[in-house]
């Protein structure tokens, strides 16, 4: 805090009031409500609630579709992180090293960031369509008959590709700025010590990028968990069927499609606990890193 | 004397016109061309009289419309009339007091109502346990079998009457001619719900769920349907059937492209098909297994019904009743039937269609009604189960896994029964 | 908050210096440079390809796409397709056209960005420049919003908004999204880095708390405000889940929300209007992409510095 401050009671309360009001009404209240409803089974029309204790939780975590969705979410998140961080880093390293054209490359590689996930999903669903999709033809050329919407893992593959694609620019931007933040003197010293560029990268440059990488990992996990909703929703084409869904999508399915308010809330609370743990880990390891949610 | 009567009459007319119109709202889930037909029906009603005015509005797909209605009901802003689909009907019928049953609404407003006027297949689907009609059937369809006429001729076969015939004669010939013999667009609806009905098999305890949510359990883990899916899986492995996923259009498109010879879809699909394909196609009843039943029974209706929401002033309820009266009149039903391909819901409308010679010019339009009017059995009235949207999702998932080879037929039906029963038990708790 | 990486980024070397550092082994440089360009060109292809094919396909008629798949090249239906999508009041009902959806998206993007910036600045100012009872409590309450993204409390949030009668309103669309306090944290960090002397000097000049905020602090933060504004506009424009649930009246649909409707028409219709769906997708991405490209420097600065 500042050593020099204003005094008075009314001004600060007035200033902070809008934020507090929004937080209380649209954050604390719903969060508390989620916890409360998770212990009840509710009739959708009248909201008549029957207290069922932890039944909703037990029901959620023992249902095979929930476990399947959890397993898929794990694979999905890992794959998105690996693909989008990998490509982001690769492009950033190359863009950092080229002498000419860095600017245009940078622009062309980053602008996909501004595309909304469902819009990416719409393009993806057409590229991977069984009847009109060029990517299906492409993979058929290599003998892989890709059946999105029919085969569970084929659909999972399509979703992962689209979701990871959309996240590459973000990682690219951060890695590039991280690389450019490495002091020149350090690199020159490294260049003298270690002639192999590959070894130089892994022994000198990459460790310096570690904080950026860790921060990006957390952001990418959050992205893969939550912001892929739009991609999944569009790529399912209205029927979950035998298609993979993430845990967040399942909260939506059970709550809004199935009208099972208690079950959906219990799943929300499980996710809340997960996110809190993730955030605690994040703050333990890197201070003062804040992301948009 | 005469002049005064006319003057009085004119005055009465003006008074009626000046009298404020009662406006009611109607939420529906009919997009595209169907939405236009909905608008046309509403306009006709508004033009037919001057006291009431109905305003339809599109609320997204069936699930979204139901969700929007529930949200609005809880906020006290529910529409007067709402369209709810078959799988959601237990939810809204179970919410006693949220809606006014059609039968009560009509009686309260002095409009004659006789459930026997409705054709057999649609009569009891949206009724409660006592047989009282709660929702007015609106867009009703049934799954039927479409086929590509030229392709069947080329292969030298006729549309199969039974699945045995399909297996032994039709499918091998079609495959040899270079086509995918069979596809279908809605596995839970066509190969589960209507499979039970077509073979007169009990679908769930408690009279298929009509006797109440408490203790209702699925009865799908039975040999007949498992044999059907074992056959389907076998056909799918041998190129006699192809599963294109849970999406409706994904399965319809290959039929339109001429890759698939026989496609099971909705009796309401023919209007659209006529626009999208340039080959000759025809339709007939769904096949049945002769090994299970010597003759096929009638199928269930699919589609949706209109419900009058409670909590509105009497004159608005009166307007809703008048609208229902208008909607079930033979002329309007026939118009709706002709425009959309959905079946007419009353005997009178069906008769009107016949007398207008409609089925001579368009025999396809009659297939669905005929199938719905086949002799019924004990288990062919319909079904009513809560959380049924999720139960269908479970079915879709397990069926997908069967065709992908991730699970066996036995295992899949065990899972469906187990998870379905859990959902039904949860729903029963919400009704408690 | 401008920490080590911020300062380091500021003294990043010019391309010339970079070249000099690496000019030594000329041959290897050439090969590595071929490799680098190769990878980057592949990257550009990877990132641009899908969007390009989406755009070119949108200029064909749907029957051609239905028959032959997505297309490259110029289909000649550009004007008619985009005209239909933008102006024809059709698609799913007769009330909405693309222009109205773009307008709603604009309201959403601007409303979200302005709301977030204003609310955050005020709250951060109170936290940093005032000592008051309850400050710590407020801070932690605001902090807690960072723990739970909207997605995990979506159902109760919806119920709260519904019980307040805010479904199908711009308020209900925008305000609940502002609850997440990321902006407040950013401005708090920024204000803390502002030299103390400024406030002392201002007080000597007799500025009260309001004048200090308006005359000194806000002008000082204007680049940061602009950067945050751009990012928030993109975030707001791209919202999908919340508008999908919140708006059932088509008059309030944003263009990204409209994607869901396109999908429904696609699922149900016989020959789906692929071209119109893709055209709407192109229109939905155009404004945020243009803003990001035009204000690229500011955008990257804002993104990199606020996220840390």
């Amino acid at each position: 805090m500042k050593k020099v401050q204003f005094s008075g009671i009314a001004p600060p309360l007035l200033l902070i009031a809008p934020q507090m009001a929004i937080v209380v009404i649209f954050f604390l209240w719903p969060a508390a409500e989620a916890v409360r409803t998770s212990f009840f089974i509710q009739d959708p029309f009248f909201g008549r609630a029957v207290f069922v204790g932890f039944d909703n939780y037990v029901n959620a975590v023992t249902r095979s579709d929930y476990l399947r969705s959890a397993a898929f979410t794990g694979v999905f998140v890992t794959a998105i992180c690996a693909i989008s961080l990998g490509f982001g880093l690769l492009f950033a390293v190359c863009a950092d090293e080229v002498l000419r054209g860095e600017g245009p490359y940078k622009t062309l590689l980053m602008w996909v960031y501004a595309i909304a996930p469902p819009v990416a999903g719409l393009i993806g669903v057409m590229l991977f369509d069984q009847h009109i999709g060029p990517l299906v033809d492409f993979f058929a050329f290599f003998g892989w008959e890709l059946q999105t919407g029919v085969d569970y893992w084929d659909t999972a593959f399509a979703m992962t590709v689209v979701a990871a694609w959309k996240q590459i620019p973000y990682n690219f931007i951060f890695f590039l700025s991280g690389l450019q933040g490495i002091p020149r003197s350090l690199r020159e010293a490294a260049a003298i010590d270690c002639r192999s560029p590959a070894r130089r990268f892994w022994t000198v440059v990459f460790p310096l990028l570690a904080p950026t990488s860790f921060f990006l990992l957390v952001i990418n996990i959050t992205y893969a968990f939550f912001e892929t909703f739009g991609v999944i929703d569009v790529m399912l084409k209205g029927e979950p069927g035998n298609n993979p869904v993430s845990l967040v999508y399942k909260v939506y399915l059970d709550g809004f499609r199935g009208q099972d308010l208690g079950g959906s809330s219990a799943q929300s609370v499980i996710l809340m606990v997960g996110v809190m743990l993730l955030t605690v880990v994040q703050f333990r390891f890197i201070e003062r890193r804040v992301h948009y949610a | 004397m005469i002049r005064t009567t006319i003057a009085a009459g004119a005055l009465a007319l003006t008074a009626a016109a000046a009298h404020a119109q009662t406006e009611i709202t109607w939420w529906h889930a009919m997009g595209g061309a169907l939405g236009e037909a909905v608008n046309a029906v509403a306009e006709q009603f508004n033009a037919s009289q001057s006291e009431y005015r109905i305003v339809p509005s599109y609320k997204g797909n069936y699930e979204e419309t139901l969700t929007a209605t529930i949200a609005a009901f809880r906020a006290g802003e529910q529409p007067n009339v709402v369209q709810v689909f078959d799988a959601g009907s237990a939810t809204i019928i179970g919410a006693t007091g949220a809606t006014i049953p059609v039968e009560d609404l009509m009686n309260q407003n002095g409009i004659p109502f006789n459930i026997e006027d409705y054709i057999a297949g649609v009569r009891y689907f949206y009724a409660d346990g006592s047989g009282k009609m709660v929702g007015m059937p609106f867009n009703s369809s049934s799954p039927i079998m479409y086929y590509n006429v030229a392709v069947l001729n080329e292969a030298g076969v006729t549309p199969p009457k039974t699945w045995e015939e399909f297996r032994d004669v039709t499918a091998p010939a079609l495959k040899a001619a270079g086509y995918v013999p069979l596809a279908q667009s809605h596995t839970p609806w066509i190969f589960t719900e209507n499979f039970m009905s077509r073979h007169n098999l009990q679908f769930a305890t408690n009279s298929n769920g009509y006797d109440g949510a408490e203790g209702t359990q699925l009865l799908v883990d039975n040999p007949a349907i498992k044999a059907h899916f074992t056959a389907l899986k076998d056909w799918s492995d041998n190129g006699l059937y192809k599963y294109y996923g849970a999406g409706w259009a994904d399965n319809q498109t290959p039929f339109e492209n001429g890759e698939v010879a026989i496609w099971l879809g909705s009796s309401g699909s023919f209007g659209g098909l006529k626009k999208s394909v340039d080959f000759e196609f025809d339709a007939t009843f769904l096949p049945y297994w002769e090994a299970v039943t010597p003759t096929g029974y009638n199928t269930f209706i699919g589609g949706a019904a209109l419900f009058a929401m409670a909590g509105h002033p009497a004159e608005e309820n009166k307007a809703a009743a008048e609208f229902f009266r208008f909607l079930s009149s033979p002329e309007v039903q026939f118009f709706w039937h002709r425009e959309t391909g959905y079946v007419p819901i009353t005997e009178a409308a069906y008769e009107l269609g016949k007398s207008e010679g409609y089925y001579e010019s368009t025999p396809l339009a009659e297939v669905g009604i005929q199938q719905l009017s086949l002799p019924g059995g004990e288990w062919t009235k319909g079904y009513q189960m809560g959380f049924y949207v999720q139960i269908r999702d479970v079915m879709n998932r397990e069926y997908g896994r069967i065709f992908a080879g991730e699970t066996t037929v036995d295992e899949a039906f065990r899972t469906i029964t187990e998870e379905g029963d859990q959902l039904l038990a949860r729903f029963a708790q919400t009704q408690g | 908050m401008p920490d080590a990486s911020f300062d380091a980024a500021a003294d990043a070397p010019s391309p010339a210096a970079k070249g000099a550092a690496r000019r030594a082994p000329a041959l290897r440089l050439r090969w590595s440079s071929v490799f680098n360009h190769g990878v980057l060109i592949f990257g550009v292809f990877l990132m641009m390809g899908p969007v390009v094919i989406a755009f070119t396909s949108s200029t064909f008629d749907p029957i051609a796409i239905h028959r032959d798949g997505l297309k490259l090249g110029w289909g000649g239906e550009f004007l008619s397709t985009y005209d239909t999508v933008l102006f024809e009041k059709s698609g799913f009902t007769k009330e909405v056209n693309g222009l109205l959806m773009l307008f709603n998206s604009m309201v959403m993007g601007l409303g979200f960005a302005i709301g977030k910036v204003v609310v955050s600045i005020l709250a951060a100012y109170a936290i940093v420049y005032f000592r008051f009872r309850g400050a710590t409590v407020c801070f932690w309450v605001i902090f807690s919003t960072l723990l739970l993204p909207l997605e995990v409390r979506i159902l109760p949030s919806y119920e709260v908004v519904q019980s307040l009668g805010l479904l199908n309103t711009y308020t209900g669309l925008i305000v609940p999204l502002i609850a997440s306090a990321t902006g407040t944290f950013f401005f708090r960090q920024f204000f803390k880095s502002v030299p103390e002397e400024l406030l002392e000097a201002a007080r000597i000049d007799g500025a009260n708390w309001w004048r200090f905020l308006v005359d000194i602090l806000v002008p000082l933060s204007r680049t940061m405000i602009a950067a945050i504004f751009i990012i928030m506009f993109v975030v707001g424009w791209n919202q999908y889940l919340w508008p999908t649930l919140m708006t059932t009246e088509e008059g309030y649909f944003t263009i990204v929300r409209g994607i869901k409707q396109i999908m429904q028409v696609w699922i149900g219709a016989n020959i789906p209007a692929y071209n119109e769906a893709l055209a709407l997708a192109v229109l939905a991405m155009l404004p945020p992409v243009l803003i990001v490209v035009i204000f690229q420097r500011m955008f990257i600065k804002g993104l990199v510095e606020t996220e840390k």
Side-chain angles (χ1 to χ4, degrees):
Chain A
M1 292 297 117
K2 298 277 177 192
K3 280 190 223 92
V4 193
Q5 286 180 316
F6 290 108
S7 53
I9 301 283
L13 292 181
L14 212 63
L15 287 167
I16 210 163
Q19 175 90 63
M20 289 304 288
I22 294 174
V23 168
V24 169
I25 298 172
F26 296 110
F27 179 81
L28 290 183
W29 181 13
E33 193 64 12
V35 175
R36 195 184 66 81
T37 12
S38 71
F39 294 105
F40 290 85
I41 282 188
Q42 253 188 63
D43 147 58
F45 274 91
F46 298 97
R48 287 181 305 236
V50 183
F51 182 79
V52 293
F54 281 91
D55 271 15
N56 288 328
Y57 291 91
V58 174
N59 188 284
V61 297
T62 53
R63 283 259 299 275
S64 71
D65 54 345
Y66 187 84
L67 299 174
R68 206 160 171 237
S69 166
F72 165 71
T73 309
V75 174
F76 187 57
V77 169
T78 314
I80 289 177
C81 290
I83 297 171
S84 63
L85 283 170
F87 277 106
L89 180 61
L90 177 68
F91 297 151
V93 168
C94 293
D96 182 46
E97 290 193 358
V98 293
L99 305 181
R100 280 173 219 283
E102 189 195 325
Y105 281 134
K106 201 166 157 183
T107 308
L108 291 172
L109 288 171
M110 63 159 270
W111 67 273
V112 163
Y113 169 83
I115 296 179
V119 175
L122 180 72
I123 297 173
V125 84
M126 294 211 183
L127 290 175
F128 282 103
D129 187 83
Q130 287 179 57
H131 305 292
I132 62 163
L135 286 177
V136 173
D137 298 339
F138 174 78
F139 288 110
F141 184 75
F142 297 98
W144 181 13
E145 213 185 304
L146 195 65
Q147 283 191 296
T148 20
V150 180
D151 186 280
Y152 186 85
W153 290 109
D154 287 358
T155 316
F157 171 76
M159 282 176 181
T160 310
V161 167
V162 174
W165 173 76
K166 151 106 192 77
Q167 188 66 359
I168 292 173
Y170 188 91
N171 296 330
F172 168 74
I173 293 169
F174 274 84
F175 277 128
L176 187 59
S177 102
L179 283 168
Q180 294 179 341
I182 295 173
R184 196 47 46 187
S185 53
L186 204 69
R187 291 200 194 191
E188 278 160 14
I192 296 163
D193 282 352
C194 177
R195 300 204 64 116
S196 152
R199 260 196 65 204
R200 194 160 67 226
F201 176 78
W202 291 113
T203 53
V204 181
V205 179
F206 190 71
L208 289 170
L209 281 180
T212 309
S213 307
F214 187 78
F215 160 77
L216 282 177
L217 184 65
V218 174
I219 293 287
N220 277 272
I221 291 173
T222 322
Y223 164 83
F225 258 98
F226 301 107
E227 284 166 55
T228 50
F229 177 90
V231 173
I232 295 174
D233 191 45
V234 170
M235 294 191 78
L236 285 180
K237 295 203 273 183
E239 280 295 338
N242 180 34
N243 290 317
V245 292
S246 69
L247 288 172
V248 168
Y249 196 80
K250 201 156 159 37
V251 169
Y252 163 81
L253 271 186
D254 287 351
F256 287 89
R257 186 178 151 97
Q259 314 297 348
D260 180 2
L261 309 183
S264 173
S265 295
Q267 294 177 31
S268 280
V269 174
I270 295 172
L271 280 173
M272 285 184 192
V273 173
V275 179
M276 279 192 232
L277 288 178
L278 185 71
T279 315
V280 169
V281 169
Q282 180 191 357
F283 274 82
R284 279 292 289 268
F285 286 92
I286 30 166
E287 289 176 329
R288 296 185 299 146
R289 307 243 150 151
V290 169
H291 62 84
Y292 299 100
Chain B
M1 176 65 199
I2 295 167
R3 288 186 57 157
T4 32
T5 321
I6 293 172
L11 202 68
L13 269 178
T14 337
H19 180 266
Q21 258 188 343
T22 306
E23 191 173 291
I24 57 171
T25 49
W26 173 18
W27 288 5
H28 67 87
M30 308 264 84
L34 293 172
E36 281 159 31
V38 163
N39 291 341
V41 167
E43 274 159 30
Q44 286 172 22
F45 175 70
N46 295 339
S48 73
Q49 40 71 47
S50 57
E51 277 181 76
Y52 313 110
R53 199 178 128 71
I54 193 159
V55 182
S57 76
Y58 175 66
K59 291 287 166 184
N61 65 15
Y62 285 137
E63 287 88 0
E64 288 173 351
T65 306
L66 182 58
T67 306
T69 304
I70 290 171
F73 182 80
R74 295 178 71 156
E77 292 165 3
Q78 66 272 32
N80 298 86
V81 177
V82 64
Q83 182 190 19
V84 176
F85 67 136
D86 47 9
S89 59
T91 307
I92 191 161
I93 292 174
T96 318
T99 64
I100 310 171
V102 178
E103 226 171 302
D104 295 347
L105 181 77
M106 301 302 243
N107 291 335
Q108 283 159 16
N109 291 286
I111 296 168
F113 177 88
N114 182 0
I115 202 165
E116 301 294 324
D117 292 344
Y118 294 80
I119 65 168
V122 309
R123 207 177 282 160
Y124 293 108
F125 196 92
Y126 302 103
D128 64 12
S130 67
K132 184 201 277 178
M133 189 185 275
V134 181
M136 159 91 85
F138 175 56
N139 55 317
S140 306
S141 58
S142 207
I144 57 172
M145 178 169 75
Y146 290 91
Y147 55 92
N148 186 325
V149 175
V151 166
L152 262 65
N153 285 341
E154 183 191 331
V157 289
T158 52
K161 289 208 168 40
T162 64
W163 286 119
E164 281 89 350
E165 182 188 347
F166 174 82
R167 178 189 63 199
D168 301 333
V169 183
T170 326
L174 287 168
K175 189 191 173 192
Y179 298 93
V180 174
L182 178 71
Q184 57 81 33
S185 271
H186 199 313
T187 330
W189 184 50
I190 300 175
F191 278 164
T192 314
E193 294 146 32
N194 280 289
F195 182 91
M196 304 309 264
S197 170
R198 192 97 175 96
H199 297 89
N200 192 26
L201 298 167
Q202 190 175 356
F203 187 20
T205 59
N206 279 348
S207 307
N208 281 0
Y210 280 102
D211 292 348
E214 190 67 47
T216 300
Q217 290 191 315
L218 282 174
L219 294 171
V220 288
D221 197 357
N222 77 47
I225 194 167
K226 284 202 279 192
H228 183 60
F229 273 87
T230 308
L232 283 174
K233 169 68 173 143
D234 183 48
W235 298 343
S236 149
D237 292 343
N238 293 301
L240 303 180
Y241 164 64
K242 188 155 181 191
Y243 178 71
Y244 294 89
W248 184 282
D250 288 341
N251 290 282
Q252 185 178 344
T253 306
F255 177 71
E256 293 168 333
N257 291 347
E259 293 162 34
V260 166
I262 298 175
W263 169 69
L264 311 182
S266 160
S267 59
S269 302
F270 79 88
L273 278 177
K274 271 192 175 145
K275 285 179 211 146
S276 66
V277 306
D278 46 11
F279 55 80
E280 193 195 337
F281 66 93
D282 206 341
T284 183
F285 299 161
L286 282 187
Y288 55 90
W289 286 96
E290 230 170 350
V292 179
T293 170
T295 161
Y297 290 82
N298 77 283
T299 45
F300 294 150
I301 48 166
L306 299 186
F307 290 83
M309 300 295 294
H312 292 288
E315 70 266 26
E316 291 187 13
N317 292 339
K318 169 88 174 144
E322 288 295 338
F323 175 65
F324 283 168
R325 184 212 316 243
F326 173 82
L327 194 64
S328 53
S329 70
E331 293 73 24
V332 176
Q333 274 302 310
F334 180 57
F335 166 82
W336 175 249
H337 171 45
R338 208 184 46 215
E339 287 299 306
T340 62
Y342 286 115
V343 301
I345 54 166
T346 59
E347 298 283 359
Y350 183 26
E351 291 304 322
L352 181 67
K354 281 186 195 161
S355 68
E356 300 247 319
Y358 178 56
Y359 305 119
E360 275 134 49
S361 59
T362 320
L364 257 174
E366 203 178 5
V367 176
I369 318 162
Q370 285 173 333
Q371 189 177 276
L372 283 170
S373 312
L374 286 173
E378 198 180 349
W379 306 115
T380 62
K381 279 197 313 189
Y383 62 89
Q384 209 165 84
M385 287 179 253
F387 284 156
Y388 196 70
V389 177
Q390 283 143 298
I391 297 179
R392 267 190 179 170
D393 285 347
V394 172
M395 290 177 181
N396 254 327
R397 186 189 78 217
E398 291 301 315
Y399 296 154
R401 298 185 63 206
I402 291 177
F403 296 122
E406 293 169 25
T407 183
T408 63
V409 172
D410 281 330
E411 193 60 42
F413 278 94
R414 207 174 305 138
T415 311
I416 291 169
T417 311
E418 200 180 289
E419 292 189 13
D421 288 349
Q422 276 175 17
L423 285 163
L424 289 168
R426 283 177 68 75
F427 182 74
Q429 275 182 291
T430 71
Q431 305 292 299
Chain C
M1 99 104 211
D3 53 19
S5 72
F6 171 67
D7 300 327
D11 66 18
S14 65
K18 219 198 273 185
R22 272 187 229 125
R23 203 153 286 153
L27 197 66
R28 171 151 351 118
L29 176 69
R30 209 169 302 143
W31 280 112
S32 71
S33 142
V34 167
F35 173 79
N36 288 334
H37 281 283
V39 168
L40 289 170
I41 287 167
F42 164 74
V44 169
F45 176 77
L46 183 74
M47 299 318 290
M48 301 280 293
V51 182
V52 168
I53 201 167
F55 174 68
T56 55
S57 295
S58 75
T59 66
F60 283 84
D61 68 285
I63 296 156
I65 301 172
H66 195 62
R67 204 178 43 231
D68 314 325
L70 294 184
K71 283 165 163 285
L72 280 168
W74 189 250
E77 301 280 324
F78 173 77
L79 280 180
S80 65
T81 305
Y82 282 79
D83 182 62
T84 308
V85 167
L86 272 175
F87 301 109
E88 194 184 294
K89 299 198 171 190
S90 70
F92 24 103
T93 63
K94 298 286 174 200
E95 293 159 24
V96 183
N97 60 17
L99 214 56
L100 179 66
M101 292 199 285
L102 282 172
F103 172 79
N104 286 336
S105 286
M106 199 57 89
V107 171
M108 175 99 190
L110 291 177
F112 178 69
I114 293 171
K116 192 123 177 169
V117 166
V118 171
V119 167
S120 316
I121 288 183
L122 296 182
Y125 184 56
I127 290 172
V128 176
Y129 284 94
F130 286 89
R131 196 188 309 270
F132 63 103
R133 200 188 283 272
T136 321
V137 175
C138 287
F139 175 78
W140 284 103
V141 166
I142 294 172
F143 173 80
S144 71
T145 65
L146 299 177
L147 297 179
L148 299 177
L150 179 69
E151 285 85 351
V152 304
R153 53 187 160 86
I154 192 80
L155 190 80
S157 296
Y158 172 81
E159 297 205 313
V160 164
V161 170
Q162 166 206 306
S163 60
L164 294 175
L166 291 175
L167 295 182
N168 293 309
T169 60
Y170 288 123
T171 316
L173 207 51
I174 296 166
V175 177
L177 291 169
I178 298 177
S180 162
T182 48
T184 310
F185 274 78
F186 162 66
F187 283 110
R188 173 177 162 270
Q189 301 283 39
F190 183 79
F191 291 163
K192 277 166 78 176
S193 74
V194 171
E196 306 251 345
E197 294 75 24
L198 265 176
L199 178 56
E200 280 164 23
R203 289 185 120 179
I204 291 164
D205 289 349
N208 63 13
W209 61 273
W210 179 249
R211 291 255 69 87
F212 178 70
L213 175 67
V214 173
D215 294 341
I216 297 172
L217 213 50
V218 169
L220 194 69
S221 336
R222 66 176 183 276
T223 3
M224 283 299 146
I225 292 175
I228 291 282
F229 188 87
I230 290 166
I231 295 166
M232 291 303 169
F233 176 81
V234 173
V235 171
W237 180 283
N238 285 348
Q239 286 298 320
Y240 177 71
L241 174 59
W242 187 242
T244 299
L245 302 176
M246 273 293 306
T247 52
T248 50
E249 301 280 353
E250 290 177 344
Y252 289 99
F253 281 8
T254 64
I255 196 153
V256 176
R257 163 72 172 87
I259 300 281
K260 189 157 184 97
Q261 247 49 35
I262 300 171
M263 288 309 295
Q264 263 157 28
V265 172
W266 186 11
I267 294 156
N270 296 290
I271 299 238
Y274 303 106
N275 56 337
E276 291 178 17
L278 289 169
L280 218 48
V282 169
L283 289 177
M285 69 173 82
L286 207 56
V289 165
L290 281 180
I291 284 180
V292 164
V293 170
I294 293 170
F295 300 104
Q296 188 181 329
R297 284 178 63 91
M298 202 180 268
F299 167 74
I300 293 182
K301 185 175 156 68
L303 198 64
V304 173
E305 289 179 16
T306 57
E307 298 267 356
K308 291 202 167 179

